[in-house]
Amino acid sequence: MAEAKVLDPAVAFRFEVKARGANLGFSKVSGLREESEVIEYREGTDPIQHRKIPGLRTFPNLVLERGVGPGRELIDWRDDVIACHDFRAQVQVTVKTCDGEPARVYTFEKAWPVALEFTDLDAGASEVQIEMLELAHEGRVGISIASES
């Protein structure tokens, strides 16, 4: 009898972020949320409660964090926004299982950096300087789930 393959769930600490043709290497991603506005509607012949209909979808900005390194890709992307030159990009966040296999891919369309922030410098502290990139986007266009082998 063949053993059933155990499919472990994705873990929140194994992921990668790709944008503009590069793996950007972040330590934290937040803003993976979407919601729909609720439209309440009632006609005179309806029972004495409102119907609830889905309205426009809204998406918060993505916030990505990583330690400051020698690369300029985030600064260059932000500079492209300021220059209004080819600044929108597709962003993919791939969440992985414990063994590093892709479990889910979130794809966001027309993302661009609204803010680039660096943590404060403190000569008395012993910590990594963090850069935070905040991305506006026009919605999640897909969630693909890795196929079972």
Side-chain angles (χ1 to χ4, degrees):
M1 177 195 245
E3 282 189 41
K5 183 177 178 181
V6 176
L7 298 174
D8 290 327
V11 291
F13 60 83
R14 294 210 66 177
F15 61 91
E16 66 183 19
V17 179
K18 291 183 180 176
R20 300 182 83 175
N23 183 345
L24 298 177
F26 288 95
S27 60
K28 186 175 180 181
V29 175
S30 59
L32 297 171
R33 177 182 167 86
E34 68 177 74
E35 59 187 73
S36 295
E37 292 179 11
V38 177
I39 301 169
E40 292 190 355
Y41 178 76
R42 185 177 179 283
E43 293 178 358
T45 57
D46 285 348
I48 56 171
Q49 72 262 0
H50 287 101
R51 283 188 255 168
K52 295 190 178 190
I53 304 167
L56 295 174
R57 294 188 317 165
T58 58
F59 305 90
N61 290 346
L62 295 173
V63 178
L64 307 119
E65 299 180 24
R66 70 179 187 182
V68 171
R72 288 192 43 90
E73 57 272 329
L74 301 186
I75 295 167
D76 292 342
W77 194 4
R78 182 71 189 132
D79 288 346
D80 287 344
V81 171
I82 294 165
C84 209
H85 177 265
D86 194 29
F87 59 90
R88 296 181 196 274
Q90 184 181 77
V91 173
Q92 288 187 323
V93 179
T94 303
V95 181
K96 299 182 177 189
T97 60
C98 257
D99 59 0
E101 293 298 315
R104 183 164 287 175
V105 180
Y106 301 95
T107 304
F108 301 91
E109 275 303 309
K110 299 178 183 168
W112 55 277
V114 232
L116 178 60
E117 179 182 345
F118 301 92
T119 54
D120 295 339
L121 302 175
D122 181 355
S126 180
E127 54 193 33
V128 173
Q129 186 186 20
I130 300 294
E131 57 185 346
M132 291 170 276
L133 183 69
E134 183 177 345
L135 297 175
H137 60 90
E138 295 185 14
R140 177 190 54 77
V141 294
I143 296 179
S144 32
I145 299 171
S147 60
E148 298 175 14
S149 306

